[in-house]
């Protein structure tokens, strides 16, 4: 079944609110407000986000709040703590069926290209993608170059390799960390072909810096953002959201 | 099916009697009395514990005694000896179906975050959790930061990471070793969101020290205790139990 | 189904004839007589043993001889050569179903606690145990402390850890190498709770030494012996068997 | 079912257009034109290639363009990035069923003989081959000697070993990198027995050099080419294609 | 079902023609004649061999020639290249079902005792043996002591260990490399009990040397030969075959 991307997009673009940092980084990213998933759901609803990204645990325990918010749910299917030593691998923590029962409109999965576990990562991703596509659920691939195999490679080459991997492996949207200039980003977007490229927000920036970056991303051909800390760590998340939406959707 | 937590709780709180040390530590923790599971079942029954925690082997061989006691049975689904070298991993030793046949009202599973086996641990936990939740059986996650990846991290960060992992991965109760002050514990409880935090009893303390600690745990927002050695190594386990219940349930 | 132990026991005790050494040690243990499984079956039959222990290969190829002997068959389900390097692990070589078809009255499985493969060993054992117990077939666990994790531990602690592991993991009988004094053995037997402890015979001893040891084992609470080399390397295995039976059954 | 090779061949020979480099090498092989799969499909169609080789992701996202082109689709079932460290292994990224649904007329799979992962590679290949042959789908094995085990071996020995591995393992076509003289290549072709040998194009050469090499391959008994960079990096791919076809089909 | 050995034997003995060297050693063993499987099939047929041993790939591609020859087919189910580094392990490349469909009268499988992969090898062998015996197909175990665990052991001990492993694990015929004197070989044959021992031919010898060795093998109790290079590298394979048959069958 063709993945149903339309319900996740506005004019072909998307602004997603990411909140998988509790597992990936631990609660150090949080303060007394944003440690609470309900605070996040409120931002997602009032800000009119195209989706909110949770791990299964939060999606289950806060299912009624998520449902009431009507924000499309994106379940992140794999995850790891930052404590896990060695080259990264992020095991599946939720099946596509479970995500579907939780009402997910899309699923996410992180791949670390260049990791010594790349083969195992690709194999699990492949199965999850097949399961999702059978059900018409879009797959968002977080593709991050990491681990031993990335040493000595340029950021530009790695970014384009990441987006291209999204295309070659069959993702519907590829999420990447952008750390290159506009030209290199445009090349990476081109390398993704028909697959939409969404930029990660990354760690906290000044609002001006952030908005200027987002405009650059969009000009380079990105289809939007999956942003977390910059929004829910902001003093006024909704005011920032307005600016982000203008930068993303025009 | 929604996990049936209610039957395990008293006013939303719980005092569990843990007895999985025979496998985890070996019989060195035991004396001539408490080496016998029947002694433990007796304490659990007469003390009115919310549950008693056994490995499958004991749950099977002492099934009639456990049943007669009417203490809710919690089967610990995985385990390892302390002899196993290298970073910790605790393999599944009992399925959810077997636990259910044994009459388990909840199941437990230990996760070592920061272990080089974290990915494998998460994957097995994820399956067990799915099996349990399908049957409406609550899952208690023992989340212990251990192994190479925890070196150099603060106790405070690790504890909050542990409780948050319980939430993100979908546990119903998260059991942790508390080794931080009240403020850091309160933060860790908050990080767990809707998931209940239960403190491990740890090794033997003086009664006064123990009760004072338990009060601190409860004040910080914990939902109870899973305690073993302090109780069944006590000269008068039932007298101590009374004090513990007062500290936990008020 | 409850494991059917009764058919293997005499007054609650057992004398088993072990013959898995061909795989575990190679033929170096053998002479021109005892290299032949038929010689072993003859001893088991004429000596009135409670069971004879074979690997699948021998159980299959000598099925008619075994059947005719009416000695209860115990199939050892896993095994390894002594040549395999590194920490020990003994893979499954026969399923419970196959053992059942071969007429097995019990199955055996070796676990190496302290091995770096402990987790994998426990997982396979757990499955085999479940299969066996579904069919009412008793499981005899050979529990041997071995490998990196046992270094620096006392023999007394390791023995009690071994028997306790048998209980915690759900075995019906636990077979151990006894290398401690009577008091430590009694403690280890106690640690096993309702699980019967059977002593391995070990390498060849003088008859007097052996019988005196066996008496000590029984006095310490053991439920019998699983003995091989001392019997089938003896000049008169049946004469020795008589003495052993007296020591075991009284 | 007998693999249906005929639809892929012209007079028993084949000229395939390979485009799996986006995953294997990253986009560094590409320019503004050939980064786009549509450009490749156009060359394949207008050049009259016997097949075009894509990973699943491209085969899916560009399914309508591929179908319209009527070029036989060959789905490469496994792949890896060049970033993955250590001895090579290329995990399955698409099943035979998926490839079939995508309309594949053949499937491809890369095997690295001499890699420390050889056993795992062989096992996955074996399963894929069985699946494919059940459906009558031909299997093209990319057999590349790589990794620790190939050190110190001659190119001649390795090439013949590669083609022979294709025969012994049951491939229908074996694709190899030719880096030996005509005599050694003829020996390698002979070693493949009834299995057709197809030469990889490799990195960019001058047209004359390329055509002269191709003639040498065909004279040595090869059944054709699977060529990528030399074609889609050419200034006039169709002109080059004409020359290639003459060299291959005569 | 009882394995049907009779169709493979002449007076309880066997002369098999082995041709799995193309994968195990590469084509370096071959010349312009014997590189072609048809040449081998011809020798097997005209020489009246009890079986010819092929990998799946050759058994499939030359199925009609094999069928026409009426030589019993033995499919070697696992294999590896000699390039694979580290301790040996030979993965399954063909299932018992596939072998059966190809008309196999027996299947072969190589086990490396003493390899650090011994456990994994034993586990796969065990499954294949079960599959084969369910269908009444005899299993020939190539048992070769190899790898780290064999260092410092005597050839005599290793050979008897190999044949005994065949018995303990349930093979029907065990194939070994004989590199010991007649007495040690007789002991190894005895260690195999009811399992037939077949000697490998090994690398090329003078005819006289070979025949004299074969006579020694048979006198020591072997049930025949699985011979390859000595036959198909011979200038007159059929003349040699005659001598071999006389030495084997008398």
């Amino acid at each position: 079944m063709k993945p149903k991307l339309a319900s996740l997009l506005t004019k072909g673009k998307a602004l997603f609110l990411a909140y998988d940092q509790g597992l990936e980084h631990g609660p150090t990213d949080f303060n007394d407000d944003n440690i609470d998933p309900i605070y996040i759901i409120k931002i997602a609803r009032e800000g009119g986000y195209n989706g909110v990204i949770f791990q299964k645990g939060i999606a289950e325990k806060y299912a009624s709040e998520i449902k009431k918010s009507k924000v499309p749910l994106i379940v992140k299917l794999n995850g790891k703590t930052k404590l896990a030593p060695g080259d990264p691998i992020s095991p599946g923590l939720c099946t596509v069926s479970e995500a579907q029962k939780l009402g997910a409109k899309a699923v996410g999965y992180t791949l670390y290209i260049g990791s010594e576990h790349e083969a195992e990562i690709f194999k699990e991703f492949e199965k999850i993608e097949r399961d999702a596509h059978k059900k018409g659920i879009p797959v968002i691939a977080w593709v991050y170059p990491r681990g031993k195999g990335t040493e000595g490679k340029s950021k530009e080459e790695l970014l384009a390799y990441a987006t291209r991997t999204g295309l070659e492996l069959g993702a519907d949207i590829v999420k990447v960390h952008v750390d290159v200039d506009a030209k290199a980003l445009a090349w990476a977007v081109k390398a993704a072909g028909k697959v939409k490229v969404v930029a990660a927000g990354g760690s906290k920036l000044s609002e001006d810096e952030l908005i200027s970056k987002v405009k650059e991303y969009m000009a380079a051909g990105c289809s939007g953002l999956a942003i977390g800390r910059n929004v829910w760590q902001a003093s006024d998340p909704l005011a920032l959201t307005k600016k982000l939406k203008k930068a993303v959707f025009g």
Side-chain angles (χ1 to χ4, degrees), chain A:
Chain A
M1 209 196 298
K2 204 145 188 191
K4 294 168 192 157
L5 265 177
S7 65
L8 283 169
L9 304 174
T10 305
K11 306 185 205 170
K13 299 203 170 58
L15 184 62
F16 299 129
L17 189 59
Y19 191 65
D20 56 340
Q21 291 81 357
L23 183 59
E24 297 295 329
H25 309 158
T28 47
D29 285 346
F30 298 146
N31 63 26
D32 272 341
D33 289 327
N34 58 39
I35 199 171
D36 186 352
I38 292 175
Y39 182 76
I40 305 304
I41 297 167
K42 195 166 172 282
I43 296 172
R45 178 175 53 81
E46 297 182 0
Y49 278 81
N50 293 84
V52 61
I53 301 165
F54 290 132
Q55 282 285 347
K56 179 180 75 168
I58 292 183
E60 275 178 359
K61 291 284 183 297
Y62 298 83
S64 64
E65 290 88 345
I66 294 165
K67 206 181 165 189
K68 216 173 298 172
S69 78
K70 293 187 184 160
V71 181
L73 172 66
I74 297 166
V75 176
K76 184 77 195 310
L77 296 184
N78 65 342
K80 62 185 252 326
T81 73
K82 76 174 177 201
L83 304 172
D87 263 20
I89 177 168
S90 182
L93 300 174
C94 180
T95 64
V96 172
S97 288
E98 285 179 297
Q100 196 182 32
K101 272 179 209 154
L102 288 165
K105 300 295 180 233
V107 293
Y109 190 94
T110 304
L111 300 109
Y112 298 106
I113 57 174
S115 164
E116 64 180 21
H117 306 295
E118 190 191 278
E120 202 182 328
I121 292 166
F122 278 20
K123 278 186 110 144
E124 187 173 64
F125 175 71
E126 190 267 324
K127 276 179 206 130
I128 274 172
E129 191 178 70
R130 182 164 49 249
D131 287 351
H133 285 174
K134 268 186 198 158
K135 298 169 187 290
I137 296 175
V139 174
I140 307 174
W142 276 232
V143 186
Y144 295 162
R146 293 273 168 85
K148 290 185 192 68
T150 59
E151 282 161 23
K153 304 284 169 186
S154 77
K155 294 184 292 182
E156 289 75 17
E157 182 182 355
L158 289 175
L159 184 69
Y161 213 148
T163 57
R164 184 72 182 196
T165 298
L167 168 62
E168 300 274 347
L169 264 61
D172 302 298
I173 294 176
V174 60
K175 182 191 165 204
V176 288
H177 281 299
V178 179
D179 51 2
V180 300
D181 65 20
K183 200 183 145 196
L185 176 56
W187 174 248
V189 170
K190 199 159 187 181
K194 292 189 179 182
V195 175
K196 285 175 187 292
V197 177
V198 160
S203 53
K204 192 81 171 70
L205 303 168
S206 79
E207 285 210 358
D208 285 356
E209 216 182 335
L210 175 68
I211 297 299
S212 128
K213 281 207 167 196
V214 171
K215 284 179 180 164
E216 197 180 295
Y217 297 167
M218 299 308 294
C222 284
S223 297
L225 286 182
I227 192 165
R229 284 167 285 173
N230 273 287
V231 168
W232 41 256
Q233 286 177 358
S235 51
D236 187 345
L238 293 176
L240 177 60
T241 298
K242 258 191 199 166
K243 292 182 195 165
L244 286 168
K245 288 170 88 169
K246 209 178 147 196
V248 169
F249 303 112

